[in-house]
Amino acid sequence: MNVKPKTSDDISFEDFRAQILRDYEIAVLSRECSILGRREVLTGKAKFGIFGDGKELPQLAMARSFRNGDFRSGYYRDQTFMMALDLLSPKDFFHGLYATTDIEKEPMSAGRQMGGHFGTYSLNKDGSWKNLTSQKNSSADISPTAGQMPRLLGLAQASKIYRKVKEIQNEGFSNNGNEVAWGTIGNASTSEGHFFETINAAGVLQVPMIISVWDDEFGISVPAKHQTTKEDISEILKGFQRDENNPGYEIIKVKGWDYTALIHAYENASELAREEHLPILIHVIELTQPQGHSTSGSHERYKSESRLKWESENDCNKRFKEWILENKISDEASLNEIEVKIKKEVRTAKKEAWIEYLKPHKEAKKTLVNLLNNLAVKSPNRAFITKIKNDLIAIEEPLKKDLAIKSRKALRYTIGDKSFEKTALINWIDAFLEDSQIKFSSHLYSETESRATNITEVSPIYDSNPEMIDGRVILRDNFDFLFNNYPNALIFGEDSGAIGDVNQGLEGLQKKYGALRVADTGIRETTIIGQGIGLALRGLRPIAEIQYLDYLPYCLQTLSDDLATLLYRTVGKQKAPLIIRTRGHRLEGIWHSGSQMGGIIHFLRGIYILVPRNMTKAAGFYNTLMKSDEPALIIESLNGYRIKEPRPKNLSEICTPIGLAELVKEGSDLTILSYGSTLRIVLSTCEELKEVGIDVEVIDAQTLLPFDLENIVLESVKKTNRLLIVDEDVPGGCAAYLMQDVIERQGAYSYLDSAPQTLTAKAHRPAYASDGDYFSKPNSEDIFEKVYEMMHETNPTEYPKLK
């Protein structure tokens, strides 16, 4: 692209001069924060530091073209950009470095993320949306390299949806789709698959997305020659460049120390992306990294003397100062005065942040010392408690951890005591741990009134002689209701649009609602999820379809590191109510088995995991989630689409509760807990068990995260005194998770008359065909024999040995 000098407004020289000097102040401010931040880590006040030094100038240029309503999806080098937009103060910066747990003082994550990870607030205190068009927005960063790319696609696509789909409500979310999504990434991270998948998808979708590649020619210690073909990411992406006959990208290459070229490049890119809705790559070259990758090492170990000399001479801040002097915009004395002022400001901010960080710890320490002193006076173990007290006094800059350790160790020396002083210490410990723990553990799930677990169950209602229809028709008709009732709802995935998904659950809906609301995508699971996250961050209600559960590993990193942690890492300040639709369970074959539930429930804490046994239950889950504001994965039973179900009269009103297990069949002899397709096998086996006098009670887990909040399984075990968990996951997988919950959390151990058992699939993936399924996963005969064996152990006379 030919980058021509261009300014967005006609301004006077004095205004122009003021802008440049303001930029210089911010560049100096950001650099000084980086320098002092590194020192704080090396002196032990902070655990780790990763900074934006060397990237100041291009970030200032990007900030100049960033408008209200725009979104950033970046990485941990963008502190200058945030400072330029007044979204990050030096004191905020140091509170992030110290991991202050007060959200008012450390507004990015209240100490949950390491420094350098930035976000803005999209939500009010009650969880409702702010007006995103009246503020500059940054989606909350994550550390995994290139992990910010998939969501960037969705943030950009939202502008296209808001511009093209007129019935969608956009007030507070978009101004006719004029918003740009700005992504930033380091040159080495462009080697990741997430980057290339996002590049391709954005080119296909033609969305207003601007990706800046900060290129300092290294990835930690590894130079570009080991990272990128031709050592040049814009060179190898030339095939994406648009031409007269084909849409594609605009690709801009600009030097990171060239202030005027940077300003012009970003202004032109911003205008093009907004007006034409096309993706743009800005490759910012000749950047430096003055302090190396992070505080974990020194770059002098891996950079040559010539490279270090070049970096010193071409540091963007140094070149910026030289440019200002050469063009007589200011003089050296004035710039030196700015530098002295800024350095003092940053030192003061650092000092104040450290004092503020320590203040509540010191106050708690003072209280604890008094409690320990009083306890020692009355205790026969006075010497031991006094030593703990004195050790605590010696810690001049205590952490919460120090206070917890000392207080809990002191309590050990009071075993058998019943003094007032001991009670006072116990009360302090309990209150301190409760108050501290919530600072690290809140907001894994929504804590608003609209959270999914608050949505009241609405059961299906049937005629006396209901019509029996395929399960897929129930889903299709329910999706029809959803898209009609929720204008901001949309669905997309492989084969989801034109053919109405591979199982016809969306049959005819693209024709009715259009190709943007019911859309086909390429085979690219990671960016399908990224589309969903970005769209949801901007107020839409996306349903992202992953064709089969076995394909979830393609996007597991994005789900786990981004979506599942979003609410938690922002302490409830951002949300992405994305629904992931997939299908699995009981299909035959190694890569279509859909049974990796143990891994999924552990990777995806923060996302609801829902396992409906039929399509009516699945429809109810979709309805529940659309009334809520939380992300969830719904796994439809793959072999249930053609199974007949009665048509409910109130299909569009059904709400399947989240977090509640369901008693499906009453019995007296033994409790079986299962879910999904396997539950149908359990129910059919119950009829056979009746023939030998065994009456089984069956419970459907329904939701795995969260699981059985009302302890339905416990109440059943109280009655039957026996428990069997049947699961098609591998041994030690989901069944182990369910067992731990029932035995430990619910406390069912006390009511068992025999050892609880699990019946799972074999340790390998399921083999192909009906025989492969039979010999790989629990079948009816396995269930029968396991139940009979448990009853034989209880009453061998009534149930003689089977074999």
Side-chain angles (χ1 to χ4, degrees):
M1 175 180 173
N2 183 21
V3 181
K4 298 178 180 178
K6 182 180 190 307
T7 56
S8 54
D9 299 296
D10 293 326
I11 58 174
S12 68
F13 176 78
E14 282 307 309
D15 288 338
F16 177 63
R17 178 178 178 276
Q19 282 185 357
I20 292 170
L21 293 181
R22 172 60 179 157
D23 280 350
Y24 185 69
E25 286 187 8
I26 295 167
V28 173
L29 179 76
S30 179
R31 178 65 61 86
E32 191 65 17
C33 284
S34 295
I35 292 169
L36 292 190
R38 182 179 176 84
R39 291 177 188 171
E40 291 300 272
V41 175
L42 297 180
T43 59
K45 286 184 177 179
K47 292 287 286 185
F48 180 77
I50 193 160
F51 308 109
D53 47 301
K55 315 297 186 295
E56 291 89 351
L57 233 56
Q59 291 181 32
L60 289 166
M62 185 171 82
R64 283 276 197 94
S65 294
F66 197 91
R67 301 181 188 173
N68 283 352
D70 286 359
F71 261 88
R72 165 191 166 273
S73 181
Y75 82 134
Y76 41 72
R77 302 288 186 200
D78 293 347
Q79 69 196 45
T80 308
F81 171 81
M82 296 295 288
M83 290 174 174
L85 295 181
D86 292 325
L87 298 173
L88 178 74
S89 72
K91 192 184 288 189
D92 296 338
F93 173 90
F94 286 105
H95 273 300
L97 200 62
Y98 302 142
T100 301
T101 55
D102 184 343
I103 192 69
E104 299 299 324
K105 293 182 172 61
E106 203 284 88
M108 299 302 153
S109 72
R112 293 183 179 185
Q113 296 211 83
M114 66 179 71
H117 294 72
F118 309 116
T120 53
Y121 295 179
S122 298
L123 306 177
N124 298 306
K125 287 187 177 181
D126 63 357
S128 60
W129 290 99
K130 289 179 175 289
N131 185 340
L132 302 184
T133 63
S134 67
Q135 64 181 37
K136 295 176 174 66
N137 304 286
S138 175
S139 59
D141 296 336
I142 58 176
S143 292
T145 182
Q148 70 274 24
M149 289 292 103
R151 106 173 74 99
L152 174 65
L153 178 68
L155 290 169
Q157 190 192 11
S159 291
K160 183 172 184 175
I161 297 294
Y162 281 123
R163 181 174 289 183
K164 298 291 186 181
V165 184
K166 299 305 179 186
E167 64 266 26
I168 282 185
Q169 301 163 1
N170 63 9
E171 186 175 355
F173 296 112
S174 179
N175 178 19
N176 193 36
N178 291 329
E179 303 78 23
V180 169
W182 302 76
T184 64
I185 189 169
N187 57 291
S189 294
T190 63
S191 302
E192 293 278 11
H194 285 8
F195 174 79
F196 281 98
E197 189 170 318
T198 301
I199 287 285
N200 180 60
V204 170
L205 292 172
Q206 287 292 286
V207 292
M209 180 180 88
I210 301 175
I211 296 180
S212 296
V213 178
W214 309 143
D215 192 344
D216 57 33
E217 299 185 21
F218 282 85
I220 307 183
S221 66
V222 181
K225 67 180 181 180
H226 298 307
Q227 303 278 1
T228 309
T229 303
K230 300 184 180 181
E231 301 183 39
D232 191 321
I233 189 63
S234 58
E235 180 69 22
I236 65 173
L237 291 178
K238 279 185 176 179
F240 286 90
Q241 174 70 50
R242 66 175 180 164
D243 56 38
E244 293 179 0
N245 301 315
N246 298 288
Y249 274 74
E250 282 292 352
I251 299 176
I252 303 170
K253 182 180 284 189
V254 61
K255 293 176 181 178
W257 48 262
D258 190 335
Y259 181 73
T260 54
L262 287 164
I263 295 294
H264 299 150
Y266 277 93
E267 285 188 341
N268 286 331
S270 174
E271 183 177 337
L272 270 176
R274 290 180 208 284
E275 291 181 1
E276 299 186 32
H277 270 199
L278 79 157
I280 298 172
L281 177 80
I282 303 180
H283 184 191
V284 185
I285 61 172
E286 296 191 16
L287 287 171
T288 67
Q289 204 149 272
Q291 299 188 124
H293 173 266
S294 67
T295 55
S296 61
S298 169
H299 66 151
E300 287 83 3
R301 291 185 304 155
Y302 54 83
K303 289 178 181 175
S304 67
E305 287 188 15
S306 60
R307 174 67 192 188
L308 290 169
K309 183 174 184 290
W310 181 90
E311 289 197 7
S312 176
E313 292 172 350
N314 291 280
D315 180 285
C316 66
N317 283 14
K318 177 176 177 292
R319 295 289 297 264
F320 189 24
K321 184 176 182 178
E322 291 170 353
W323 178 83
I324 292 172
L325 294 174
E326 287 170 5
N327 287 276
K328 302 188 182 330
I329 295 168
S330 185
D331 56 55
E332 187 142 13
S334 298
L335 296 184
N336 290 341
E337 186 179 332
I338 288 174
E339 292 165 13
V340 170
K341 182 194 74 169
I342 293 296
K343 288 181 179 182
K344 181 179 179 181
E345 179 185 341
V346 174
R347 285 196 301 271
T348 300
K350 175 179 73 70
K351 181 179 179 181
E352 290 177 353
W354 183 243
I355 291 171
E356 290 174 1
Y357 168 74
L358 285 177
K359 183 180 178 182
H361 301 178
K362 287 188 171 183
E363 291 173 350
K365 171 188 167 181
K366 183 178 180 181
T367 301
L368 179 57
V369 166
N370 288 333
L371 288 170
L372 294 177
N373 187 63
N374 296 338
L375 183 66
V377 171
K378 296 290 183 72
S379 174
N381 290 314
R382 176 175 183 173
F384 298 103
I385 297 172
T386 299
K387 183 180 184 309
I388 291 174
K389 180 195 72 173
N390 291 338
D391 289 344
L392 178 59
I393 291 171
I395 302 174
E396 294 183 3
E397 297 176 339
L399 306 176
K400 290 183 175 69
K401 180 182 78 170
D402 298 321
L403 302 172
I405 290 171
K406 298 301 182 186
S407 61
R408 296 169 82 178
K409 285 191 173 181
L411 191 63
R412 299 175 190 175
Y413 292 104
T414 68
I415 294 173
D417 294 354
K418 294 184 179 179
S419 65
F420 169 81
E421 290 77 11
K422 176 182 177 179
T423 301
L425 178 61
I426 291 172
N427 291 339
W428 185 91
I429 291 172
D430 289 345
F432 179 77
L433 291 179
E434 182 180 3
D435 179 68
S436 298
Q437 191 64 57
I438 199 169
K439 289 179 169 62
F440 299 96
S441 300
S442 69
H443 292 94
L444 182 60
Y445 297 96
S446 173
E447 298 180 6
T448 68
E449 288 302 312
S450 60
R451 61 186 179 270
T453 51
N454 273 5
I455 305 302
T456 304
E457 179 178 10
V458 177
S459 299
I461 300 172
Y462 298 101
D463 289 326
S464 56
N465 187 24
E467 178 188 4
M468 300 299 292
I469 56 175
D470 287 348
R472 71 164 190 91
V473 176
I474 287 177
L475 277 177
R476 181 201 65 193
D477 291 353
N478 193 68
F479 280 130
D480 192 7
F481 288 128
L482 287 178
F483 295 139
N484 186 59
N485 294 336
Y486 294 91
N488 284 26
L490 60 157
I491 192 167
F492 46 89
E494 300 161 15
D495 299 308
S496 300
I499 69 167
D501 88 40
V502 290
N503 298 103
Q504 300 290 280
L506 298 168
E507 180 188 24
L509 297 185
Q510 185 183 80
K511 185 176 181 181
K512 184 173 182 179
Y513 294 102
L516 287 176
R517 290 191 67 193
V518 182
D520 285 308
T521 69
I523 299 176
R524 45 176 180 79
E525 284 78 11
T526 295
T527 45
I528 289 173
I529 295 302
Q531 284 177 246
I533 296 172
L535 292 168
L537 279 166
R538 291 193 58 189
L540 294 163
R541 293 308 310 268
I543 302 172
E545 183 171 318
I546 301 300
Q547 194 166 84
Y548 296 110
L549 183 61
D550 300 79
Y551 301 162
L552 207 70
Y554 280 106
C555 54
L556 193 58
Q557 186 275 330
T558 300
L559 286 168
S560 180
D561 291 332
D562 199 350
L563 183 62
T565 67
L566 177 65
L567 195 73
Y568 172 77
R569 71 180 189 267
T570 64
V571 199
K573 303 304 182 183
Q574 290 185 6
K575 64 181 176 182
L578 167 64
I579 301 171
I580 304 102
R581 179 196 184 205
T582 191
R583 49 191 67 81
H585 306 315
R586 307 307 301 202
L587 184 63
E588 300 151 359
I590 294 175
W591 292 288
H592 293 82
S593 59
S595 301
Q596 305 89 20
M597 299 309 301
I600 289 169
I601 58 176
H602 296 306
F603 272 114
L604 301 187
R605 300 296 171 101
I607 299 174
Y608 291 137
I609 310 298
L610 314 178
V611 284
R613 67 180 182 269
N614 58 39
M615 301 312 166
T616 302
K617 288 288 184 181
F621 277 136
Y622 287 111
N623 296 344
T624 296
L625 290 167
M626 291 300 288
K627 291 182 177 181
S628 175
D629 61 355
E630 297 186 78
L633 170 67
I634 298 180
I635 305 166
E636 298 165 10
S637 294
L638 187 52
N639 58 6
Y641 293 106
R642 303 293 173 179
I643 293 177
K644 300 294 184 183
E645 298 182 30
R647 181 193 288 275
K649 294 195 321 185
N650 60 335
L651 179 58
S652 64
E653 301 168 7
I654 294 170
C655 287
T656 307
I658 291 176
L660 297 185
E662 181 182 2
L663 176 60
V664 178
K665 175 192 173 299
E666 293 191 2
S668 57
D669 293 327
L670 183 144
T671 298
I672 294 183
L673 170 64
S674 190
Y675 61 89
S677 296
T678 304
L679 191 88
R680 289 199 297 272
I681 301 174
V682 170
L683 289 170
S684 67
T685 307
C686 288
E687 298 302 312
E688 298 173 11
L689 286 165
K690 277 185 181 180
E691 297 174 4
V692 293
I694 300 175
D695 187 15
V696 171
E697 184 148 295
V698 179
I699 295 176
D700 181 4
Q702 293 202 111
T703 76
L704 301 179
L705 286 178
F707 168 64
D708 195 12
L709 298 178
E710 294 191 357
N711 297 347
I712 302 299
V713 179
L714 173 63
E715 295 306 312
S716 177
V717 171
K718 284 181 180 179
K719 179 171 61 171
T720 67
N721 310 118
R722 294 171 192 87
L723 174 65
L724 173 64
I725 298 175
V726 182
D727 179 21
E728 63 173 289
D729 196 8
V730 296
C734 188
Y737 156 77
L738 296 171
M739 182 71 78
Q740 182 189 30
D741 188 282
V742 174
I743 300 302
E744 293 186 19
R745 184 188 66 80
Q746 296 189 28
Y749 178 81
S750 302
Y751 302 96
L752 291 169
D753 289 341
S754 58
Q757 300 281 315
T758 64
L759 178 61
T760 69
K762 300 299 184 286
H764 55 77
R765 292 281 188 93
Y768 173 57
S770 296
D771 280 348
D773 177 72
Y774 187 87
F775 289 99
S776 299
K777 294 187 177 184
N779 54 60
S780 181
E781 288 69 42
D782 291 334
I783 297 168
F784 183 99
E785 291 170 10
K786 174 63 80 171
V787 171
Y788 191 89
E789 177 188 332
M790 292 176 71
M791 296 305 296
H792 165 74
E793 187 248 350
T794 301
N795 189 342
T797 302
E798 187 171 349
Y799 305 102
K801 197 168 185 178
L802 183 62
K803 58 180 180 180

